Amino acid sequence: MAKDILGEAGLHFDELNKLRVLDPEVTQQTIELKEECKDFVDKIGQFQKIVGGLIELVDQLAKEAENEKMKAIGARNLLKSIAKQREAQQQQLQALIAEKKMQLESDLTNDPSCETVCKEHSISEGKKTNLRGRVSDISAHLLANTQWPWWSRFSPLAFSV
């Protein structure tokens, strides 16, 4: 009866018979909520640590990818410059071959010693023309079979990034 009157007034006795303002059920729910909140805060802390590690990992991978990208761009630029050098070298060789061919034809037509050799060996004009053709064939063969460096076999466009 005294408990009912105190209960109506909002006062309650706990298990130790101490006078309390809150209902024991509400007190128990408050304690449970406090524990759940503590667990939630701990889990959020763990989540933040995991996310922080993930962000660091992604940043590291991004830096590595950027470094590899720069290496690839450098390699592509190097191949382009090598290809240009190869083209310039090829043009120089073609010019040298054309110059030597013209010099040989000039020597065949203008040099008296060549005429003498041709007469001694009974080389007719048709054979001289044939000889000039052979010179053209040999120069084309030399140009086609020149041993270019190994990297010249690759197109610079094959390494685009």
Side-chain angles (χ1 to χ4, degrees):
M1 178 161 167
K3 282 188 175 182
D4 292 334
I5 296 172
L6 287 174
E8 288 175 12
L11 299 173
H12 305 282
F13 287 102
D14 65 3
E15 59 275 349
L16 300 174
N17 289 325
K18 289 188 176 181
L19 191 57
R20 303 286 178 183
V21 177
L22 290 176
D23 185 14
E25 274 185 42
V26 173
T27 304
Q28 184 63 30
Q29 289 175 350
T30 304
I31 292 170
E32 288 174 5
L33 181 62
K34 182 179 176 183
E35 289 174 5
E36 286 179 20
C37 287
K38 184 180 176 188
D39 290 342
F40 179 75
V41 168
D42 291 342
K43 288 179 182 179
I44 291 294
Q46 290 174 351
F47 178 73
Q48 286 178 336
K49 286 180 185 178
I50 291 170
V51 169
L54 181 63
I55 288 172
E56 288 177 14
L57 179 65
V58 169
D59 286 343
Q60 181 182 3
L61 290 175
K63 287 178 184 177
E64 289 177 13
E66 189 66 25
N67 288 340
E68 291 299 320
K69 178 181 171 185
M70 289 298 147
K71 286 179 186 177
I73 289 171
R76 181 182 62 190
N77 290 341
L78 178 65
L79 282 175
K80 284 181 181 178
S81 68
I82 289 171
K84 288 179 183 177
Q85 288 174 352
R86 182 184 71 217
E87 288 174 11
Q89 184 182 18
Q90 188 174 10
Q91 288 175 353
Q92 287 175 346
L93 288 174
Q94 286 174 341
L96 182 64
I97 288 171
E99 179 184 332
K100 294 293 181 182
K101 191 183 339 179
M102 287 174 48
Q103 184 180 4
L104 180 62
E105 285 185 23
S106 173
D107 288 347
L108 285 175
T109 56
N110 296 333
D111 191 3
S113 63
C114 286
E115 286 294 324
T116 306
V117 169
C118 288
K119 285 179 184 175
E120 286 177 4
H121 293 288
S122 302
I123 296 176
S124 66
E125 275 304 311
K127 288 185 179 179
K128 283 185 194 176
T129 306
N130 189 22
L131 183 60
R132 287 186 188 108
R134 287 289 296 153
V135 168
S136 295
D137 292 345
I138 290 170
S139 63
H141 177 74
L142 286 175
L143 186 60
N145 292 319
T146 301
Q147 292 297 318
W148 300 104
W150 65 269
W151 40 259
S152 67
R153 294 181 189 102
F154 299 104
S155 166
L157 300 177
F159 294 96
S160 62
V161 176

